[in-house]
């Protein structure tokens, strides 16, 4: 194979440094800027004459300062650090920009002299991301409203109508009037059975749309109801365990936790090939933790959860967004051959 590698001169490196589109800067152990490129000047708003000798902490708000210290501490101790990380940066105009930064030690003759950073401005991207998030959350709320309306229509109009129909059919077939021929009677009885089944299906549908059981009997009863259905309809042995002293959670929290459980259980019956499932609701001092776990085949999670949207899989994504709507976190852990676990943590007051 032809040798294609060659060494660049110092001058060439300098050229790359100066003209890179990412901002690059170097500072000493005290934070004093010792070198920076053109992109840094553009980002910070300071020219070479101005930034020379300035302290880097000047570009950081309090939150970023703490992160900065943590990054430097980890690098000096050789601890693992996720790179690039995100940090806010305040330029000369006072505006805050969101940066994606990679940081490393600046080493001269084997001695650590400071830190060097390469940063990309992702402010626009992060705005877009936030907007998208907001949009998804609004969509989740709108969907709940729509489900509520549909469930109410079913309960108020369709279900009573079917009930009336059933009563009438019953009255006709069980009446003592001998006018009905036996073939007509058996047809009507067939109809009676069909309408009764349709009513049962509609009731289940209405329950899924808007689980009245939460309002009537509370969160734990609603979880138990879902576990029973899983056992009864799909033969998966599902148990609910409550740890700690049960607390009354706000309505929205209950509904979101219910929806997360609903999706996790749907995934278990559709994908996991599990024989058992566990739902645990833990009331801690500072948070409520909901865990839905199975002993199924497990799966490999994509690197980024957002990738699921690209392949039209919205279940896990929806669970994440609901976790965020709760002001909490949701984590999916899965191990091939062992099973899957969805853990939602909601801080108090939840
Ligand atoms: N408990 C589980 N056990 C095994 N695989 C799972 C489990 N939960 C999710 N998966 C895998 O993760 C993928 C993504 O799940 P997700 O809920 O996001 O989408 P989906 O269930 O395929 O579709 P939907 O958008 O209807 O929910 C599934 O297709 C499945 O391969
Ligand atoms: Mg799903």
């Amino acid at each position: 194979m032809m040798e294609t590698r060659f060494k660049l001169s110092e001058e060439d490196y300098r050229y790359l440094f100066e003209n890179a589109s990412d901002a690059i800067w170097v500072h000493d152990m005290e934070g004093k800027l010792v070198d920076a490129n053109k992109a840094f000047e553009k980002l910070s708003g300071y020219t070479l004459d101005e930034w020379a000798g300035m302290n880097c902490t000047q570009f950081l708000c309090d939150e970023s300062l703490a992160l900065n210290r943590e990054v430097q501490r980890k690098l000096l101790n050789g601890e693992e650090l996720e790179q690039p990380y995100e940090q806010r940066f305040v330029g000369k105009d006072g505006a805050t920009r969101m940066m994606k930064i990679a940081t490393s030690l600046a080493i001269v003759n084997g001695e650590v002299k400071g830190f060097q950073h390469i940063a990309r401005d992702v402010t626009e991207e992060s705005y877009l991301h936030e907007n998208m998030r907001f949009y998804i959350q609004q969509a989740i709320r709108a969907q709940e409203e729509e489900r509520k309306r549909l469930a109410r229509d079913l309960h108020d109009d369709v279900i009573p109508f079917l009930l009336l129909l059933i009563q009438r059919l019953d009255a006709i077939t069980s009446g003592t009037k001998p006018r009905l021929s036996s073939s007509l009677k058996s047809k009507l009885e067939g109809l009676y059975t069909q309408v009764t089944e349709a009513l049962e299906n509609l009731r289940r549908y209405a329950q899924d749309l808007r689980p009245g059981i939460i309002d009537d009997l509370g969160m734990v009863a609603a979880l138990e109801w879902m576990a029973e259905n899983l056992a009864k309809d799909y033969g998966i042995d599902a148990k609910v365990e409550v740890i700690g002293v049960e607390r009354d959670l706000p309505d929205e929290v209950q509904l979101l936790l219910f929806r997360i459980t609903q999706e996790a259980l749907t995934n278990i019956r559709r994908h996991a090939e599990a024989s058992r499932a566990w739902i645990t609701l833990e009331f801690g001092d500072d948070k409520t933790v909901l865990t839905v776990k199975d002993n199924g085949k497990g799966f490999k999670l994509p690197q980024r959860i957002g990738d699921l949207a690209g392949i039209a899989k919205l279940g896990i994504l929806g669970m994440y967004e609901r976790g965020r709507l709760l002001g909490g976190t949701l984590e999916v852990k899965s191990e091939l051959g062992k099973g899957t676990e969805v853990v939602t943590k909601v801080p108090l007051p939840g």
Side-chain angles (χ1 to χ4, degrees):
M1 211 169 88
M2 216 169 71
E3 179 60 71
T4 52
R5 292 177 66 106
F6 55 87
K7 204 162 167 31
L8 288 179
S9 67
E10 184 118 343
E11 228 170 282
D12 290 331
Y13 275 119
R14 188 70 210 173
Y15 180 84
L16 287 177
F17 171 86
E18 278 299 338
N19 295 290
S21 57
D22 286 349
I24 307 175
W25 67 100
V26 184
H27 60 77
D28 67 11
M29 300 303 279
E30 276 72 52
K32 204 169 95 180
L33 266 173
V34 291
D35 207 352
N37 68 355
K38 287 183 196 150
F40 175 82
E41 291 183 9
K42 191 160 162 241
L43 167 75
S44 66
Y46 292 103
T47 61
L48 169 66
D49 295 336
E50 291 171 320
W51 67 248
M54 265 174 78
N55 199 293
C56 280
T57 49
Q58 210 166 318
F59 306 116
L60 305 176
C61 55
D62 286 351
E63 173 202 323
S64 300
L65 272 175
L67 174 64
N68 196 43
R69 272 196 294 273
E70 182 66 5
V71 166
Q72 297 190 0
R73 188 189 63 74
K74 281 189 171 172
L75 284 172
L76 288 171
N77 292 338
E79 287 175 32
E80 206 176 309
L81 171 70
E82 204 181 314
Q83 302 242 42
Y85 56 96
E86 286 197 349
Q87 189 167 50
R88 288 177 207 284
F89 186 100
V90 187
K92 191 178 181 180
D93 60 2
T96 302
R97 313 209 55 88
M98 184 58 93
M99 310 300 300
K100 216 168 216 168
I101 303 192
T103 299
S104 57
L105 296 171
I107 299 172
V108 182
N109 296 330
E111 205 184 321
V112 179
K113 291 286 191 189
F115 297 89
Q116 50 202 21
H117 312 269
I118 302 182
R120 178 165 297 183
D121 189 342
V122 291
T123 313
E124 291 308 316
E125 258 174 82
S126 74
Y127 273 148
L128 272 177
H129 201 200
E130 275 311 307
N131 286 344
M132 180 70 104
R133 234 235 144 121
F134 179 73
Y135 179 76
I136 293 174
Q137 299 191 340
Q138 289 305 103
I140 289 175
R141 290 201 161 111
Q143 187 189 36
E144 285 302 341
E145 278 306 307
E146 186 65 9
R147 283 175 169 167
K148 194 154 108 184
R149 193 184 62 75
L150 274 172
R152 203 173 37 224
D153 285 355
L154 287 178
H155 279 301
D156 294 353
D157 300 334
V158 187
I159 291 177
F161 174 75
L162 284 184
L163 268 174
L164 197 66
L165 201 63
I166 289 172
Q167 279 167 8
R168 289 211 174 138
L169 281 170
D170 187 44
I172 297 172
T173 49
S174 62
T176 45
K177 289 184 193 149
R179 263 181 298 136
L180 287 182
S181 70
S182 66
S183 83
L184 184 58
K185 190 167 177 200
S186 83
K187 271 189 194 142
L188 286 174
E189 276 165 356
L191 211 54
Y192 175 88
T193 315
Q194 278 177 344
V195 180
T196 313
E197 266 171 32
L199 177 69
E200 267 319 299
N201 287 340
L202 265 185
R203 278 203 168 122
R204 209 171 307 152
Y205 184 53
Q207 265 295 351
D208 277 346
L209 275 176
R210 181 76 189 181
I213 189 162
I214 302 184
D215 306 324
D216 302 341
L217 302 173
M219 179 75 201
V220 176
L223 295 180
E224 272 161 0
W225 174 75
M226 277 194 279
E228 276 163 29
N229 283 349
L230 198 68
K232 196 171 64 191
D233 300 337
Y234 302 96
I236 299 170
D237 180 13
K239 293 259 170 323
V240 177
E241 190 188 357
V242 177
I243 302 172
V245 184
E246 197 179 332
R247 209 183 2 250
D248 211 9
L249 298 168
D251 287 352
E252 197 191 16
V253 175
Q254 293 194 29
L255 186 62
L256 287 167
L257 288 178
F258 180 89
R259 291 292 184 217
I260 290 170
T261 312
Q262 206 172 27
E263 172 57 26
L265 294 181
T266 305
N267 278 350
I268 291 176
R269 70 176 166 75
R270 280 175 48 199
H271 312 295
E273 294 168 20
S275 60
R276 304 193 63 182
W278 296 266
I279 304 171
T280 315
L281 190 60
E282 185 180 348
F283 295 96
D285 289 340
D286 57 349
K287 59 179 176 295
T288 311
V289 183
L290 167 78
T291 309
V292 185
K293 195 170 119 178
D294 68 65
N295 67 345
K297 64 178 186 181
F299 68 107
K300 197 168 172 320
L301 274 160
Q303 266 190 334
R304 281 176 315 190
I305 291 303
D307 293 347
L308 287 168
I311 47 174
K313 298 197 180 294
L314 299 175
I316 291 181
L317 209 62
M319 291 201 282
Y320 269 99
E321 288 311 326
R322 288 184 166 88
R324 285 180 65 101
L325 261 177
L326 287 163
T329 58
L330 185 138
E331 206 184 342
V332 179
K333 301 177 216 168
S334 193
E335 208 178 322
L336 289 177
K338 291 243 168 99
T340 303
E341 196 174 13
V342 178
V343 185
T344 316
K345 294 183 182 158
V346 191
L348 285 188

